[in-house]
Amino acid sequence: MKSIPMIRDFIVKNKLVLIYGIAMAALIFLLKWLELRFIIINHSFEVYIGLIALLFTALGIWLAIKLTKPKVRTVIIEKPVYISPSETFELNEQLIRKLNLSNRELEVLNLMANGLSNQEIAAQLYLSLNTVKTHSSNLFEKMEVKSRTQAIEKARRLSIIA
Amino acid sequence: MKSIPMIRDFIVKNKLVLIYGIAMAALIFLLKWLELRFIIINHSFEVYIGLIALLFTALGIWLAIKLTKPKVRTVIIEKPVYISPSETFELNEQLIRKLNLSNRELEVLNLMANGLSNQEIAAQLYLSLNTVKTHSSNLFEKMEVKSRTQAIEKARRLSIIA
DNA sequence: CCGAAAATCACCCGAAAGTATGATCTGCTC
DNA sequence: GAGCAGATCATACTTTCGGGTGATTTTCGG
């Protein structure tokens, strides 16, 4: 019969829940007992409710903390990945065409990816700051991103830039 | 993806909460049944108590989950190294060590490189916006850059991030 | 246990980034 | 020549970033 091992397995897996359930039952019966014992506590009803609330809040906190998985120390694993120096990188022309990025927008994108600010890009391309902003705004809209860092990340992911 | 352990963790947590909720309900209904069967007492009172207990247990769980510091997870740094690595490799090692970036700073750097805003990084790491700013400021200083895009670019160039 | 480093958070402020809108100007095509 | 898209620039505005400073708490090695 498999039922015995299954039951044991169930018990092991749900040990905490079972323990808690039993504790719950005990607590509830204790409360019932208290209630019966001090049946004349009409005046301290609010105190009673408050105690219940406090108790069960603590119980919830305890439960959550108890069942939250143990803390794990942060470990830095340095994992060297050797890659070939041969430039297998190809600009994804098709993708660029699909995104419908203009030349200027691509230039701006590349300079962005090199860490240049809008002001520096403007100087590099002999444009005004406002023009760079316009290009970058249009770029973000076409790429469906909301910031230069997202644009850089997506462009790299799509192999639009090196 | 770093998010997967967190998602799994979230699911696990909720599963436990659900299990607990069901157990609670079962216990309460059992109690009610017992009460109806054998005792004649004011009904609404126990229902009220039960609801209070449920509510505040949920509150406790929520509080604990919300306020508990997230467990730190492993930071895996993949370092692509080009062939003829005898010098480049050492150089990167030295640079990384010389830059003396802390774990948190590296985490922030990686999330930055994924295009996240400071606000999003704060949410991801369960930090305040101010803390993320502090980390990024320290990061920029250590890396000798002046903006997040420069940090991303330099980190890529130095193979500190993928 | 103590001190240093790391991590956390707060407040203020200026700079940069990003949004929205509109206006020229140019080159191309129908 | 009309229409159109790209490029250019502007103004005005909101949001985000980054620097500076100071503070408390955690963590960890000696």
mmCIF file with all atom_site columns, all heavy atoms in Angstrom, chain B residues 20-32:
data_model
loop_
_atom_site.group_PDB
_atom_site.id
_atom_site.type_symbol
_atom_site.label_atom_id
_atom_site.label_alt_id
_atom_site.label_comp_id
_atom_site.label_asym_id
_atom_site.label_entity_id
_atom_site.label_seq_id
_atom_site.pdbx_PDB_ins_code
_atom_site.Cartn_x
_atom_site.Cartn_y
_atom_site.Cartn_z
_atom_site.occupancy
_atom_site.B_iso_or_equiv
_atom_site.pdbx_formal_charge
_atom_site.auth_seq_id
_atom_site.auth_comp_id
_atom_site.auth_asym_id
_atom_site.auth_atom_id
_atom_site.pdbx_PDB_model_num
ATOM 1  N N   . TYR B 1 20 ? -3.030  28.583 4.666  1.00 0.00 ? 20 TYR B N   1
ATOM 2  C CA  . TYR B 1 20 ? -3.383  28.987 6.010  1.00 0.00 ? 20 TYR B CA  1
ATOM 3  C C   . TYR B 1 20 ? -4.817  29.486 6.073  1.00 0.00 ? 20 TYR B C   1
ATOM 4  O O   . TYR B 1 20 ? -5.574  29.140 6.980  1.00 0.00 ? 20 TYR B O   1
ATOM 5  C CB  . TYR B 1 20 ? -2.439  30.081 6.498  1.00 0.00 ? 20 TYR B CB  1
ATOM 6  C CG  . TYR B 1 20 ? -2.967  30.719 7.749  1.00 0.00 ? 20 TYR B CG  1
ATOM 7  C CD1 . TYR B 1 20 ? -3.084  29.970 8.907  1.00 0.00 ? 20 TYR B CD1 1
ATOM 8  C CD2 . TYR B 1 20 ? -3.403  32.036 7.748  1.00 0.00 ? 20 TYR B CD2 1
ATOM 9  C CE1 . TYR B 1 20 ? -3.606  30.516 10.034 1.00 0.00 ? 20 TYR B CE1 1
ATOM 10 C CE2 . TYR B 1 20 ? -3.931  32.595 8.879  1.00 0.00 ? 20 TYR B CE2 1
ATOM 11 C CZ  . TYR B 1 20 ? -4.025  31.829 10.035 1.00 0.00 ? 20 TYR B CZ  1
ATOM 12 O OH  . TYR B 1 20 ? -4.553  32.378 11.151 1.00 0.00 ? 20 TYR B OH  1
ATOM 13 N N   . GLY B 1 21 ? -5.183  30.283 5.071  1.00 0.00 ? 21 GLY B N   1
ATOM 14 C CA  . GLY B 1 21 ? -6.539  30.808 5.035  1.00 0.00 ? 21 GLY B CA  1
ATOM 15 C C   . GLY B 1 21 ? -7.560  29.692 5.019  1.00 0.00 ? 21 GLY B C   1
ATOM 16 O O   . GLY B 1 21 ? -8.553  29.711 5.764  1.00 0.00 ? 21 GLY B O   1
ATOM 17 N N   . ILE B 1 22 ? -7.302  28.698 4.192  1.00 0.00 ? 22 ILE B N   1
ATOM 18 C CA  . ILE B 1 22 ? -8.224  27.567 4.092  1.00 0.00 ? 22 ILE B CA  1
ATOM 19 C C   . ILE B 1 22 ? -8.298  26.823 5.422  1.00 0.00 ? 22 ILE B C   1
ATOM 20 O O   . ILE B 1 22 ? -9.378  26.474 5.908  1.00 0.00 ? 22 ILE B O   1
ATOM 21 C CB  . ILE B 1 22 ? -7.786  26.623 2.969  1.00 0.00 ? 22 ILE B CB  1
ATOM 22 C CG1 . ILE B 1 22 ? -7.959  27.325 1.619  1.00 0.00 ? 22 ILE B CG1 1
ATOM 23 C CG2 . ILE B 1 22 ? -8.613  25.346 2.996  1.00 0.00 ? 22 ILE B CG2 1
ATOM 24 C CD1 . ILE B 1 22 ? -7.298  26.617 0.466  1.00 0.00 ? 22 ILE B CD1 1
ATOM 25 N N   . ALA B 1 23 ? -7.131  26.614 6.025  1.00 0.00 ? 23 ALA B N   1
ATOM 26 C CA  . ALA B 1 23 ? -7.099  25.925 7.307  1.00 0.00 ? 23 ALA B CA  1
ATOM 27 C C   . ALA B 1 23 ? -7.889  26.707 8.350  1.00 0.00 ? 23 ALA B C   1
ATOM 28 O O   . ALA B 1 23 ? -8.673  26.150 9.124  1.00 0.00 ? 23 ALA B O   1
ATOM 29 C CB  . ALA B 1 23 ? -5.654  25.745 7.766  1.00 0.00 ? 23 ALA B CB  1
ATOM 30 N N   . MET B 1 24 ? -7.691  28.006 8.334  1.00 0.00 ? 24 MET B N   1
ATOM 31 C CA  . MET B 1 24 ? -8.419  28.884 9.231  1.00 0.00 ? 24 MET B CA  1
ATOM 32 C C   . MET B 1 24 ? -9.919  28.715 9.062  1.00 0.00 ? 24 MET B C   1
ATOM 33 O O   . MET B 1 24 ? -10.674 28.509 10.038 1.00 0.00 ? 24 MET B O   1
ATOM 34 C CB  . MET B 1 24 ? -8.051  30.346 8.925  1.00 0.00 ? 24 MET B CB  1
ATOM 35 C CG  . MET B 1 24 ? -7.007  30.924 9.815  1.00 0.00 ? 24 MET B CG  1
ATOM 36 S SD  . MET B 1 24 ? -7.574  31.012 11.502 1.00 0.00 ? 24 MET B SD  1
ATOM 37 C CE  . MET B 1 24 ? -8.714  32.390 11.352 1.00 0.00 ? 24 MET B CE  1
ATOM 38 N N   . ALA B 1 25 ? -10.341 28.800 7.812  1.00 0.00 ? 25 ALA B N   1
ATOM 39 C CA  . ALA B 1 25 ? -11.763 28.702 7.530  1.00 0.00 ? 25 ALA B CA  1
ATOM 40 C C   . ALA B 1 25 ? -12.302 27.366 8.017  1.00 0.00 ? 25 ALA B C   1
ATOM 41 O O   . ALA B 1 25 ? -13.353 27.288 8.660  1.00 0.00 ? 25 ALA B O   1
ATOM 42 C CB  . ALA B 1 25 ? -11.998 28.867 6.036  1.00 0.00 ? 25 ALA B CB  1
ATOM 43 N N   . ALA B 1 26 ? -11.542 26.320 7.720  1.00 0.00 ? 26 ALA B N   1
ATOM 44 C CA  . ALA B 1 26 ? -11.973 24.981 8.119  1.00 0.00 ? 26 ALA B CA  1
ATOM 45 C C   . ALA B 1 26 ? -12.110 24.902 9.634  1.00 0.00 ? 26 ALA B C   1
ATOM 46 O O   . ALA B 1 26 ? -13.104 24.395 10.160 1.00 0.00 ? 26 ALA B O   1
ATOM 47 C CB  . ALA B 1 26 ? -10.973 23.952 7.615  1.00 0.00 ? 26 ALA B CB  1
ATOM 48 N N   . LEU B 1 27 ? -11.132 25.444 10.321 1.00 0.00 ? 27 LEU B N   1
ATOM 49 C CA  . LEU B 1 27 ? -11.171 25.398 11.775 1.00 0.00 ? 27 LEU B CA  1
ATOM 50 C C   . LEU B 1 27 ? -12.359 26.169 12.325 1.00 0.00 ? 27 LEU B C   1
ATOM 51 O O   . LEU B 1 27 ? -13.060 25.721 13.229 1.00 0.00 ? 27 LEU B O   1
ATOM 52 C CB  . LEU B 1 27 ? -9.866  25.974 12.332 1.00 0.00 ? 27 LEU B CB  1
ATOM 53 C CG  . LEU B 1 27 ? -8.701  24.992 12.366 1.00 0.00 ? 27 LEU B CG  1
ATOM 54 C CD1 . LEU B 1 27 ? -7.397  25.717 12.578 1.00 0.00 ? 27 LEU B CD1 1
ATOM 55 C CD2 . LEU B 1 27 ? -8.947  23.975 13.473 1.00 0.00 ? 27 LEU B CD2 1
ATOM 56 N N   . ILE B 1 28 ? -12.571 27.310 11.750 1.00 0.00 ? 28 ILE B N   1
ATOM 57 C CA  . ILE B 1 28 ? -13.667 28.136 12.239 1.00 0.00 ? 28 ILE B CA  1
ATOM 58 C C   . ILE B 1 28 ? -15.008 27.451 11.988 1.00 0.00 ? 28 ILE B C   1
ATOM 59 O O   . ILE B 1 28 ? -15.883 27.422 12.857 1.00 0.00 ? 28 ILE B O   1
ATOM 60 C CB  . ILE B 1 28 ? -13.620 29.524 11.569 1.00 0.00 ? 28 ILE B CB  1
ATOM 61 C CG1 . ILE B 1 28 ? -12.464 30.329 12.163 1.00 0.00 ? 28 ILE B CG1 1
ATOM 62 C CG2 . ILE B 1 28 ? -14.939 30.255 11.770 1.00 0.00 ? 28 ILE B CG2 1
ATOM 63 C CD1 . ILE B 1 28 ? -12.208 31.626 11.459 1.00 0.00 ? 28 ILE B CD1 1
ATOM 64 N N   . PHE B 1 29 ? -15.116 26.876 10.795 1.00 0.00 ? 29 PHE B N   1
ATOM 65 C CA  . PHE B 1 29 ? -16.368 26.199 10.501 1.00 0.00 ? 29 PHE B CA  1
ATOM 66 C C   . PHE B 1 29 ? -16.559 24.971 11.386 1.00 0.00 ? 29 PHE B C   1
ATOM 67 O O   . PHE B 1 29 ? -17.671 24.675 11.817 1.00 0.00 ? 29 PHE B O   1
ATOM 68 C CB  . PHE B 1 29 ? -16.432 25.811 9.024  1.00 0.00 ? 29 PHE B CB  1
ATOM 69 C CG  . PHE B 1 29 ? -16.897 26.946 8.180  1.00 0.00 ? 29 PHE B CG  1
ATOM 70 C CD1 . PHE B 1 29 ? -16.022 27.599 7.323  1.00 0.00 ? 29 PHE B CD1 1
ATOM 71 C CD2 . PHE B 1 29 ? -18.215 27.394 8.258  1.00 0.00 ? 29 PHE B CD2 1
ATOM 72 C CE1 . PHE B 1 29 ? -16.454 28.658 6.551  1.00 0.00 ? 29 PHE B CE1 1
ATOM 73 C CE2 . PHE B 1 29 ? -18.640 28.448 7.492  1.00 0.00 ? 29 PHE B CE2 1
ATOM 74 C CZ  . PHE B 1 29 ? -17.765 29.093 6.628  1.00 0.00 ? 29 PHE B CZ  1
ATOM 75 N N   . LEU B 1 30 ? -15.449 24.320 11.671 1.00 0.00 ? 30 LEU B N   1
ATOM 76 C CA  . LEU B 1 30 ? -15.520 23.189 12.596 1.00 0.00 ? 30 LEU B CA  1
ATOM 77 C C   . LEU B 1 30 ? -16.014 23.653 13.952 1.00 0.00 ? 30 LEU B C   1
ATOM 78 O O   . LEU B 1 30 ? -16.900 23.053 14.565 1.00 0.00 ? 30 LEU B O   1
ATOM 79 C CB  . LEU B 1 30 ? -14.133 22.542 12.737 1.00 0.00 ? 30 LEU B CB  1
ATOM 80 C CG  . LEU B 1 30 ? -14.029 21.425 13.781 1.00 0.00 ? 30 LEU B CG  1
ATOM 81 C CD1 . LEU B 1 30 ? -14.929 20.260 13.406 1.00 0.00 ? 30 LEU B CD1 1
ATOM 82 C CD2 . LEU B 1 30 ? -12.593 20.968 13.943 1.00 0.00 ? 30 LEU B CD2 1
ATOM 83 N N   . LEU B 1 31 ? -15.439 24.751 14.371 1.00 0.00 ? 31 LEU B N   1
ATOM 84 C CA  . LEU B 1 31 ? -15.828 25.304 15.655 1.00 0.00 ? 31 LEU B CA  1
ATOM 85 C C   . LEU B 1 31 ? -17.310 25.663 15.672 1.00 0.00 ? 31 LEU B C   1
ATOM 86 O O   . LEU B 1 31 ? -18.053 25.355 16.613 1.00 0.00 ? 31 LEU B O   1
ATOM 87 C CB  . LEU B 1 31 ? -14.983 26.548 15.945 1.00 0.00 ? 31 LEU B CB  1
ATOM 88 C CG  . LEU B 1 31 ? -15.147 27.135 17.339 1.00 0.00 ? 31 LEU B CG  1
ATOM 89 C CD1 . LEU B 1 31 ? -14.614 26.182 18.363 1.00 0.00 ? 31 LEU B CD1 1
ATOM 90 C CD2 . LEU B 1 31 ? -14.450 28.466 17.422 1.00 0.00 ? 31 LEU B CD2 1
ATOM 91 N N   . LYS B 1 32 ? -17.718 26.315 14.603 1.00 0.00 ? 32 LYS B N   1
ATOM 92 C CA  . LYS B 1 32 ? -19.124 26.699 14.499 1.00 0.00 ? 32 LYS B CA  1
ATOM 93 C C   . LYS B 1 32 ? -20.024 25.464 14.547 1.00 0.00 ? 32 LYS B C   1
ATOM 94 O O   . LYS B 1 32 ? -21.070 25.455 15.207 1.00 0.00 ? 32 LYS B O   1
ATOM 95 C CB  . LYS B 1 32 ? -19.349 27.467 13.187 1.00 0.00 ? 32 LYS B CB  1
ATOM 96 C CG  . LYS B 1 32 ? -18.713 28.835 13.148 1.00 0.00 ? 32 LYS B CG  1
ATOM 97 C CD  . LYS B 1 32 ? -19.134 29.688 14.331 1.00 0.00 ? 32 LYS B CD  1
ATOM 98 C CE  . LYS B 1 32 ? -20.616 30.017 14.281 1.00 0.00 ? 32 LYS B CE  1
ATOM 99 N NZ  . LYS B 1 32 ? -21.015 30.806 15.468 1.00 0.00 ? 32 LYS B NZ  1
#
